Amino acid sequence: MKRIALFPGSFDPFTKGHEDIVLRGLRLFDEVVIGIGRNARKERYFSLEQMTQLIEEAFQQYPEVRVINYDDLTADVARTIGAKFLLRGLRNTTDFEYENGISQVNRYIYEEVETVFLITSPHLAPISSSIIRDLHRYGQKVDPFLPYQLEKVINQ
């Protein structure tokens, strides 16, 4: 049976830290599905369509990685795509506190799902999507923090 992991998030934007979790996840799972969830409480900074395209291009050499968009409970999406694992990255204890509660609820909704936490590689731990959005909003270059060239695509 294929070991499928869903890596859920808003990925606004998808960072080198996220890329690190996906690539390390490929050592554990046969397939990693990057799920870009819609959050009704948040307005996206980068469009969903553009981020999907950028992530797909970043992983084009990895057929075992695919990208989906969803507007549903993460546990239900995992069940629908046949994923028995949710893949999450942890940068610090604050991330753990937040993710722990979510993992318990996901398990309540979908008993067969296990959340697997990977500790972010130390050199990538300071990177967050919110910091990158702030840098970009104020005209700073953010490409060093991303696995694709955002500036080239945004300015086309």
Side-chain angles (χ1 to χ4, degrees), residues 63-102:
E64 61 272 39
V65 175
R66 65 184 167 110
V67 183
I68 63 170
N69 299 312
Y70 68 94
D71 187 8
D72 201 350
L73 293 172
T74 297
D76 287 339
V77 172
R79 183 187 348 254
T80 299
I81 67 169
K84 301 280 185 175
F85 303 94
L86 297 175
L87 180 61
R88 299 298 295 155
L90 298 176
R91 293 171 296 167
N92 51 43
T93 56
T94 303
D95 282 355
F96 174 76
E97 291 297 325
Y98 175 76
E99 294 291 344
N100 183 45
I102 292 172

Side-chain angles (χ1 to χ4, degrees), residues 1-8 29 31-35 66 68 74-87 106 110-115:
M1 182 175 219
K2 197 172 188 183
R3 295 171 57 90
I4 302 170
L6 173 62
F7 182 37
F29 306 106
E31 181 180 0
V32 174
V33 178
I34 300 167
R66 65 184 167 110
I68 63 170
T74 297
D76 287 339
V77 172
R79 183 187 348 254
T80 299
I81 67 169
K84 301 280 185 175
F85 303 94
L86 297 175
L87 180 61
N106 284 326
Y110 178 28
E111 288 181 4
E112 296 176 41
V113 76
E114 292 288 346
T115 301

